[in-house]
Amino acid sequence: MRKLLLLIVFILVLIGGLIAFTPLGFVLNQSGVGNMGIGWAKVDGTLAKGRISGFYAGTQPIGDVSLKLRPLSLLTLSPSYDVQWGGAGGQGTAALTLSRRALNAEDIRMRLEIGALEGLEPAVRAMGGTLDIEGGSFQLTQSGCEAAAGQLSTSALSTLAAQYGRQFGEIAGPISCQSGAFVIAMAGESDSGDQVNIDASANILGGGDFSTRVRTQDAQIILALTQIGFVRENGEFVYRQSRTAGLSQ
């Protein structure tokens, strides 16, 4: 019995070692994530430790990604990684799990530069600032976003509001999924009672919708909003943008 157990352990270790040295590019190609609008320019390394250069999701460049395998995850045949990424658009960390049917991410901490986000109008990108995600998670399949969680926040309006003598705190809201797309709903308020609501959805192919609603009585702010494309609707000033895969409207 002891010899049998030792043989089983030896076989498991051997199989685990062979799997760990499998090229990372082969694993990614077999996982099917390329069919989810996710791609890359180059893959180096093995399943145990690798690097993905030129990683992108839909039309959004992400940057370079480093992955380090969690060895025990091989026992489930769904490799899990500790992931770090960085590029011109931001940086972040997460725990990523690959399977043949889904791409799962947990413990996401991320900071994105608004100016580097594809699909936003130049006037919005020119505001600068960052988007921060804490406690994020998602599950992607070939149908798109199946589940998502986390808190998205930005202080982008702080600098802009200061030009009009306002103090604007953090704008924040939850992340979720609906009909295969990521959905956010953020809200914030200035010290003078000006209210901002941001609602957006985006799918993995680059399509989506974005709207911002501002409620204010300040003539200066109203003038500034109308100059960058906001229109009055039901006592609010509204800006909308829609985007199909690769095209904006």
Side-chain angles (χ1 to χ4, degrees), residues 126-197:
M127 292 173 57
T130 61
L131 289 172
D132 294 279
I133 297 175
E134 293 288 341
S137 66
F138 65 75
Q139 181 183 71
L140 288 180
T141 68
Q142 293 185 10
S143 299
C145 180
E146 294 291 334
Q151 185 79 355
L152 181 66
S153 63
T154 180
S155 57
L157 288 184
S158 297
T159 301
L160 183 64
Q163 300 176 17
Y164 300 95
R166 296 286 196 272
Q167 292 183 356
F168 221 110
E170 186 177 79
I171 299 176
I175 305 169
S176 61
C177 283
Q178 184 176 346
S179 301
F182 289 95
V183 176
I184 63 171
M186 305 170 68
E189 186 171 338
S190 75
D191 59 337
S192 300
D194 306 309
Q195 298 176 1
V196 174
N197 293 87

Side-chain angles (χ1 to χ4, degrees), residues 4-5 17 20 65 67 73 75 80 89 92 103 120 132 136 143 173 202 212 219 237:
L4 178 60
L5 290 175
V65 182
L67 305 98
S73 67
L75 298 177
S80 295
L103 173 67
L120 294 180
D132 294 279
S143 299
T212 300
F237 292 86

Side-chain angles (χ1 to χ4, degrees), residues 49-248:
K49 187 176 183 180
R51 181 180 179 86
I52 305 172
S53 303
F55 187 72
Y56 63 87
T59 60
Q60 178 62 51
I62 304 298
D64 297 334
V65 182
S66 297
L67 305 98
K68 185 176 181 181
L69 178 69
R70 295 180 175 181
L72 293 179
S73 67
L74 293 178
L75 298 177
T76 65
L77 300 181
S78 297
S80 295
Y81 292 92
D82 292 314
V83 179
Q84 291 185 323
W85 66 270
Q91 59 278 326
T93 61
L96 189 68
T97 301
L98 299 173
S99 70
R100 293 190 64 84
R101 294 187 177 182
L103 173 67
N104 295 279
E106 297 179 336
D107 302 324
I108 300 172
R109 299 183 65 183
M110 184 180 301
R111 170 160 288 185
L112 302 173
E113 299 294 334
I114 292 176
L117 294 179
E118 298 290 338
L120 294 180
E121 288 287 349
V124 178
R125 297 172 66 178
M127 292 173 57
T130 61
L131 289 172
D132 294 279
I133 297 175
E134 293 288 341
S137 66
F138 65 75
Q139 181 183 71
L140 288 180
T141 68
Q142 293 185 10
S143 299
C145 180
E146 294 291 334
Q151 185 79 355
L152 181 66
S153 63
T154 180
S155 57
L157 288 184
S158 297
T159 301
L160 183 64
Q163 300 176 17
Y164 300 95
R166 296 286 196 272
Q167 292 183 356
F168 221 110
E170 186 177 79
I171 299 176
I175 305 169
S176 61
C177 283
Q178 184 176 346
S179 301
F182 289 95
V183 176
I184 63 171
M186 305 170 68
E189 186 171 338
S190 75
D191 59 337
S192 300
D194 306 309
Q195 298 176 1
V196 174
N197 293 87
I198 300 175
D199 298 288
S201 66
N203 61 48
I204 59 176
L205 298 178
D209 299 286
F210 173 88
S211 69
T212 300
R213 294 177 287 116
V214 180
R215 185 177 292 273
T216 181
Q217 300 298 323
D218 188 286
Q220 281 187 304
I221 296 178
I222 292 173
L223 177 61
L225 291 174
T226 56
Q227 288 178 338
I228 61 175
F230 280 74
V231 296
R232 186 189 292 269
E233 291 183 9
N234 301 319
E236 298 179 323
F237 292 86
V238 182
Y239 176 89
R240 292 189 178 90
Q241 181 185 354
S242 64
R243 182 181 178 89
T244 55
L247 298 172
S248 59

Side-chain angles (χ1 to χ4, degrees), residues 10-27:
F10 172 76
I11 293 174
L12 290 175
V13 171
L14 179 61
I15 293 174
L18 291 173
I19 293 175
F21 286 101
T22 301
L24 178 60
F26 173 79
V27 175

